[in-house]
Structures are given as structure tokens and as C-alpha cells.
Amino acid sequence: MTPAPHDPGRAPAPRSASGGIAPRRDGSQADLTRAYREGEDANEPSLLLRVLAAVLAVAAGLGTGACIGHRLPLEPSIASRPQPDPWRFANEVPVRLSDAEGQVRLELDDGSDTPLEFWRDGEGVGRGVRRATDPWIRVDSVGGAKGLRWNGRLYRGSMLIEPRPGGGLRLTNLAALEDYVQGVVAAELSLWSANPAELGAQSIAARSYTAAKLDAASVGKTARPFLWDDTRDQVYRGVFEPDAAGLRRGLDRALASAVEGTRGTYLMMGGLVVQARFHAACGGRTVRAADVFGGASRSMQSVACDPCLAATGPTAGTALASAPAGALPAADGRSPLAWEFTASAEDLGALAGSLGVGRRLTSLSPAAVEEGRWISVEIVGDVGSERIALNRLRALLGYDRLESGRIARTWPRAGEPLLSGLYFEGTGSGHGVGLCQFGARGYGEAGFDATAILRHYFPGASLVRR
């Protein structure tokens, strides 16, 4: 079956051996388009149309799913030819909505009086008052609709509803690449204080990560590639909808301008798109991608970050005299990037149990340190020990509590016996790899453009417009 062609009005994303940013992968169901008004028996297709659908399905050697044309004000019809499987998409980004995972019922608001309802029905998806069941359902927003709303958020493109293997349903937004990039930039940055260079750098980084991650996820694998809508990939909350104050400030226009101004631009090295990672604040220096995520990446090395240095201590860096406005150390000397966290005895007991080192943690110390950042830790329990990556420790204790690997001190001190809890004190936020968002803001305020910012954080990479 021939996939839908790229929109000639959009610059096609860079391709590699696997086929591009949203690799076309054959699925197990066909998509015989059904436009229907939900809940009316009169909407059953005629016998002739049903026969036509069966002939088309047999001729294509495919099963059947359903594609809802978003409450078309027409009598129901079956398309004149089978449509592609919903996972054979061109220039669309499949984003799995984490809050919907496992829910047994889902409602999509298409702007009409009655929401579209779906539920888990055996091994399929139930829909409508007629209780029709399909292996999957793809809902497209058509006509003058702004999109589909779920959980209070507006999403452009299509929604794919599938049974989740572990139970309940799974909801995936199939978004156009540039719409997705806009949503990521809006969710990842504070648009109220973001400067144009910062917005541009984030747009290119988000677009590059998307292309590289989907491409890497598809190479040599049969699983369908996708991105999560949270920090496992990039935070994405659908369409940015500013309030009245945001509209007066022009936040939507600034966002659209930054994304449109970088449309089709990617970070590349050695002919490949860079999987451009980013984080909130490095605390003074970024860390090599290999130290956090393994593998090898020549473009994501450790570099100094002068805005973070200026915000974390009395001595500014060499390339920048100050941190972003309002981000200098407080009068008491405490950095705005500082954090502290105390893991309770219960937290440490749960950690020991999850690692299989006993019921109680007896000591914790860094096993490897690079440029002041913990890379791995040695954890000792009452029946054993385990060495794990610092990023895994953050995942087990909570990313929002153990904010980064840039740990200044602990109490009790590293390696000393733990009698109850464990206090951490550090700076920065996030894994520390790639683009530092706090640093990008500072460099932008100092006069750097998006290109200069990205070349600083991704040494050796080049910007290519496709």
C-alpha cells in the first residue's frame, strides 16, 4: 500500500536508512474510512457499500479498523479505496499521552454537544451507542475544527485509540511535526520570559530530538516508534492556548514566529540528525551524553555554562559577565539553582528493596564523579551492594526530588553509616546533557543568537535546513 505523500508545503524531514522522522511501518489492521453520526441505526452502511468494503479488504489482504471523520454532517459512507494503516504516516509525530494509559473509558471533545466516547471492549475498542467494536479507531479532525480536546487540552491532527496490552486503552496523538514542535517549546519553556534566541534554539533542539529519536527507535525493530508526552522524551501538552494576558503580550505570536523561523532546521553531525537532549539547568557545566545515557555522542560533550556559573557562585564565567536577569545569587549567597532533599528512612528502605540489597540501606557514596557531577553511586544494604547510574537513582527516588547529579554534599557524609534518612544538597536541574535551558536564556540575553547557542552546547554540530 502506498503511504500518503508528504505535504509539498512542508519541508520534508531528514531521512536515514530507516526512512525518516516518522518511519512508515506496516501494521495489522486496515483503515476503511467510515464517516458516521454516532448512535443512529440509520447510519448503518447499505448492503452495496458493505459488500464493497469487504471486497476492498480482501483485495488488500487487510483486517479492518475504523477512521472517524469527526462527525461529518453526511450520510455514512465507506471510502472508495482502503486507507493506510494508522501507523503508516507521513510527516506526523506519534505522541503517546501518558495520562490516558490504561484508562477503560476515554472521551474526546470535538466541539459538538455530545463527546465522542470510547471504551475497552474485549480485545478491541467500543464506540457509540450502537456498541460497535473495532481493533483500533483513528479520529481525524476535519473541516473547520480547531482540533480534538482530551483532558481539557486541545490537540491538532488525529487521535488513535487502541487496546493497551496491559489493560485499558491507549491514546496516541498523531501530530504534524511543526505543530508538535510548537507544543513542546510551549511546555518546556516559560514563554513569558523567553527571548527570541532561546525560543529558536529550543525549537531546533526539539525538532532534532524528534527526528533522531523516532529514527533510532525504528531501526531494526518491529515495535512502532513513538514519543512520550512527558520527561521520558519531551514535555508536550498539545496546542498552546494563552489566556487574555498572554494574548495581549503576544506569546502565541512569539512562539509561532520562533518555530516558523526555524522550520526544517536540524542539528546534524556526520550526516545524521543529532538526538539533541536538553535539560532545565546544568549548574555550571554540562555532562557528556555517554556518562548519563551510555553509547557515544561526539556532539554532546561536557562544556562550561557561564550563565549557570554566574548564578551559582561569586565568580562569573569567562564568556559571560552575568546570569539571566533576576537569576543572580540571593543576598544570603544561596543560588536560585540550589536544591535540597532529604530521603526518609522509608525511602531508603524502599530503595534497598528495589535493588535487592536488603531491607535497609547502610551507606551510599559516589562511585564515579565527572566535573563535580555524580555519574554513578555505590549503594550498600544489610545483605548486599549494588552500583547503579546516578540517573537510575534519580528515577527511583524521584526526578523532582533528587533534581540533578550535581550534588555538593550529603549528611551523613558520603560512605558514612546511615542511621535514618539521608540529606542531599546540590545545584542544577535535570540530567545535564546537551542544551541547558537556563544557560540558553542567559546567552540569549547577552546577545547570542540561536545558532551561537546551539554551537556552544553541541560542539562540532552544524545547522542544516531541509
Side-chain angles (χ1 to χ4, degrees), residues 394-414:
R394 290 186 61 220
L396 292 170
L397 291 177
Y399 289 115
D400 58 337
R401 301 201 295 171
L402 189 60
E403 293 191 36
S404 80
R406 204 166 185 85
I407 298 168
R409 67 187 182 108
T410 64
W411 187 261
R413 294 183 179 89

Side-chain angles (χ1 to χ4, degrees), residues 187-206:
E188 287 281 355
L189 298 180
S190 172
L191 298 183
W192 277 93
S193 53
N195 56 65
E198 175 189 1
L199 290 170
Q202 183 66 63
S203 298
I204 296 169

Side-chain angles (χ1 to χ4, degrees), residues 91-339:
N91 221 21
E92 289 181 325
V93 181
V95 191
R96 188 171 293 177
L97 306 187
S98 54
D99 287 345
E101 282 285 287
Q103 292 195 22
V104 295
R105 298 187 73 89
L106 293 172
E107 287 188 357
L108 296 179
D109 181 0
D110 62 351
S112 62
D113 294 336
T114 306
L116 301 170
E117 297 184 66
F118 309 93
W119 58 89
R120 179 67 181 259
D121 190 356
E123 296 302 312
V125 180
R127 60 183 170 87
V129 298
R130 290 182 294 119
R131 303 192 68 81
T133 300
D134 298 284
W136 50 262
I137 297 175
R138 174 170 175 159
V139 184
D140 298 314
S141 54
V142 298
K146 293 181 178 180
L148 297 164
R149 195 173 293 276
W150 178 78
N151 205 25
R153 295 172 180 163
L154 182 66
Y155 295 88
R156 293 195 180 101
S158 304
M159 288 291 195
L160 181 65
I161 304 100
E162 298 178 288
R164 178 174 171 267
L169 295 173
R170 171 164 287 161
L171 184 63
T172 301
N173 178 212
L174 302 177
L177 174 60
E178 300 302 327
D179 287 341
Y180 171 69
V181 171
Q182 274 204 34
V184 170
V185 174
E188 287 281 355
L189 298 180
S190 172
L191 298 183
W192 277 93
S193 53
N195 56 65
E198 175 189 1
L199 290 170
Q202 183 66 63
S203 298
I204 296 169
R207 186 182 297 108
S208 300
Y209 178 89
T210 302
K213 181 65 183 292
L214 289 177
D215 193 64
S218 69
V219 175
K221 298 180 180 179
T222 58
R224 294 161 171 170
F226 70 92
L227 298 177
W228 286 105
D229 68 342
D230 56 26
T231 53
R232 282 172 285 187
D233 284 302
Q234 303 179 119
V235 179
Y236 168 71
R237 301 191 182 100
V239 178
F240 172 62
E241 298 182 279
D243 57 16
L247 286 171
R248 289 194 298 271
R249 181 73 173 265
L251 301 185
D252 53 337
R253 295 191 299 275
L255 172 65
S257 176
V259 175
E260 184 61 31
T262 64
R263 175 185 285 270
T265 303
Y266 298 83
L267 273 166
M268 299 191 72
M269 177 176 277
L272 299 175
V273 180
V274 174
Q275 194 175 121
R277 295 184 180 270
F278 49 87
H279 57 281
C282 67
R285 190 173 187 89
T286 66
V287 63
R288 296 189 312 151
D291 288 333
V292 178
F293 301 108
S297 174
R298 291 183 295 142
S299 64
M300 287 183 279
Q301 301 297 316
S302 175
V303 300
C305 179
D306 293 297
C308 280
L309 285 172
T312 55
T315 303
T318 58
L320 191 68
S322 66
L328 292 173
D332 61 1
R334 183 172 175 80
S335 167
L337 302 182
W339 55 266

